[in-house]
Amino acid sequence: MIIFGSILIICGLLLLGVSVYIAFGAVLLFLALTGGHDITGYLPAGYWKMNTLVLLAIPLFMIAGAIMEKGKIAAPLVALAELFIGHIKGGLSAAAVVASGIFGSISGSANATLTCIGGIMMPHLRKANYPEGLSAALIVSASPLGLLIPPSSSHILYAWVAQQSVLKAFLSTVIPGIILIILLIVTNQFALRKYKDIKVTDRPKDFVPEFKLQTRQAMPALFMPLIILGGIYGGIMTPTEAAGVAVVYSIPIAIYVYRGLTWRSLINTLSDAGITIGVVMTMIFMVLIVSRFLIFEDIPTIAREMVFSVSENPIVILLMVNLVMILIGMLMDDISGLLLSTPLLLPIVQSVGVDPIHFAAILGVNLGMANVTPPTAPLLYLGAQVTNTPVSKMLGPTFLFIFCAWLPTLAVTTFVPALSLWLPDLLLSR
């Protein structure tokens, strides 16, 4: 009963809009007051769990993402993508999806991807007579590519909690991310068929010189994922060192190359990032303590027994696990959902033969989809603010992208493990 009471408290407070770390803190207070649960024994465990060099990569990547978001680094990426497909009907919105994937590989953040790409692309899409609700929903649906295309802060946390290779966790979602990009573009093209007044940009007569110019302007931004991922996979840098390099590299690029920041505005950007980092790290600490409690109370074993009491069929079990992850992701952000889901669900999927790296991909796609799925959908409401589009106009198209792009991506990621394991095995085999 205490466990179910804790679940009700978390769900109830989150549905009321209470911050995640406060909701988990309330659960800890409830456990302390109900007796038989000495939460003080879990506090040192939470501290020592956070006292690790790997976790330092999270705030560093968040700082780099904030600098890139404010530094106008996304604009040349959008222009380069638009150069290739902007002259095709639907090409401008397809460019937004491609740019989201590229910028996601730089920022590692869905929120930063949505803010940057949405702020840049939505005025262009409106000017070209693209339907407002469909375009805003597409940008929102593409923003979790920041979680799927490496480097990703979420997968650093997953590898840390699950004691797996960070590099393999990064690579596990590359192919699912590419599949999602293709399905989003195809679904959007199908939905645009009935709109006859969409304008297209003229293809440059001198394509090669224009391509060289746009590539030269975008190159400093494109170099960043090459430096970070090349350094990590080449064995030159650890993920934490690569995050530090990302911060150092992004500052002069944002200030001197793209001129989106000044030294004074950089201080404000770092201050805002520091506030966000403080909230995230406090939240991680709270969720870690609750996760520690779940492990010590053997809740994963109880959950596994409950699942196997329903069915021992691996397909049915994976479907149930996916449903649980979607519900968790609908109630909280991706980091909290990951920290709660991993210790609870990883033992269950491992018992039916799922590789932990394969599960990293399943978890990433699930939480990304849940963050755009109503009724909570934090990215959907952020997207409404960024694109200045009413949520009511976005709901129908959002469900279209969920059913036609996200769910098929989740299905193939879940039931075709080779999609998640092939690239890590190919690049990191020794």
Side-chain angles (χ1 to χ4, degrees), residues 17 41 76 95 127 134 146 169-170 183 210 214 222 239 243 279 318 331 376 410 422 426 430:
K127 188 176 180 181
L134 180 67
F170 276 172
L183 291 178
E210 184 67 20
Q214 297 291 355
L222 292 173
V279 172
L318 283 173
L331 291 173
T376 51
L410 177 60
W422 174 73
L426 176 67
R430 293 288 183 263

Side-chain angles (χ1 to χ4, degrees), residues 18-362:
V18 176
S19 299
V20 173
Y21 72 94
I22 296 178
F24 280 97
V27 169
L28 294 175
L29 182 61
F30 170 73
L31 293 173
L33 294 176
T34 52
H37 300 280
D38 183 13
I39 64 170
T40 58
Y42 302 122
L43 296 178
Y47 169 77
W48 289 112
K49 188 74 174 175
M50 291 189 67
N51 190 20
T52 173
L53 193 62
V54 174
L55 198 59
L56 184 61
I58 304 299
L60 290 174
F61 273 125
M62 292 178 69
I63 292 172
I67 293 172
M68 291 170 192
E69 179 185 342
K70 302 294 184 182
K72 297 182 179 179
I73 293 179
L77 302 177
V78 172
L80 184 60
E82 187 178 346
L83 177 66
F84 282 94
I85 51 180
H87 63 284
I88 304 171
K89 181 181 178 180
L92 196 60
S93 51
V97 178
V98 175
S100 295
I102 297 173
F103 189 78
S105 70
I106 298 174
S107 68
S109 166
N111 288 339
T113 301
L114 175 56
T115 303
C116 285
I117 303 301
I120 293 172
M121 289 301 304
M122 201 61 197
H124 291 294
L125 291 167
R126 281 196 176 96
K127 188 176 180 181
N129 293 331
Y130 280 78
E132 184 180 48
L134 180 67
S135 300
L138 177 66
I139 293 172
V140 169
S141 299
S143 62
L145 289 167
L147 305 176
L148 301 182
I149 306 298
S152 167
S153 299
S154 298
H155 282 89
I156 293 174
L157 280 173
Y158 173 82
W160 171 60
V161 174
Q163 297 183 338
Q164 298 296 316
S165 166
V166 175
L167 307 185
K168 288 186 176 182
F170 276 172
L171 291 172
S172 66
T173 51
V174 171
I175 295 179
I178 294 173
I179 293 173
L180 178 63
I181 290 173
I182 295 171
L183 291 178
L184 285 172
I185 292 175
V186 171
T187 303
N188 182 66
Q189 290 295 107
F190 178 82
L192 288 174
R193 291 185 307 167
K194 62 180 181 181
Y195 297 97
K196 306 298 183 183
D197 58 343
I198 292 176
K199 301 176 183 178
V200 297
T201 59
D202 295 330
R203 187 178 178 88
K205 295 181 179 179
D206 299 325
F207 179 82
V208 174
E210 184 67 20
F211 169 71
K212 290 180 179 179
L213 174 63
Q214 297 291 355
T215 302
R216 188 163 58 249
Q217 292 177 347
M219 195 58 68
L222 292 173
F223 263 133
M224 186 163 182
L226 294 177
I227 292 172
I228 295 172
L229 297 178
I232 293 174
Y233 295 120
I236 302 172
M237 298 180 286
T238 66
T240 303
E241 292 167 343
V245 170
V247 174
V248 173
Y249 180 83
S250 62
I251 291 175
I253 294 299
I255 293 177
Y256 297 115
V257 177
Y258 296 117
R259 301 184 183 276
L261 286 177
T262 63
W263 285 106
R264 178 170 294 181
S265 60
L266 174 64
I267 295 174
N268 295 330
T269 300
L270 294 176
S271 176
D272 294 339
I275 294 172
T276 304
I277 290 168
V279 172
V280 169
M281 300 310 286
T282 303
M283 177 184 65
I284 291 174
F285 180 69
M286 288 293 187
V287 178
L288 278 176
I289 297 174
V290 174
S291 299
R292 195 74 172 176
F293 166 78
L294 294 177
I295 293 172
F296 272 95
E297 295 297 320
D298 205 22
I299 302 304
T301 300
I302 297 173
R304 184 167 63 246
E305 291 175 354
M306 290 177 60
V307 168
F308 277 92
S309 68
V310 176
S311 174
E312 295 186 2
N313 188 310
I315 295 177
V316 175
I317 291 173
L318 283 173
L319 289 174
M320 288 191 291
V321 167
N322 277 327
L323 179 60
V324 170
M325 283 190 288
I326 291 173
L327 293 174
I328 290 175
M330 289 172 64
L331 291 173
M332 59 189 70
D333 62 279
D334 56 296
I335 291 178
S336 303
L338 184 146
L339 290 172
L340 193 62
S341 299
T342 302
L344 186 64
L345 300 178
L346 182 57
I348 297 175
V349 297
Q350 282 184 300
S351 64
V352 294
V354 174
D355 188 279
I357 298 302
H358 178 205
F359 185 64
I362 298 173

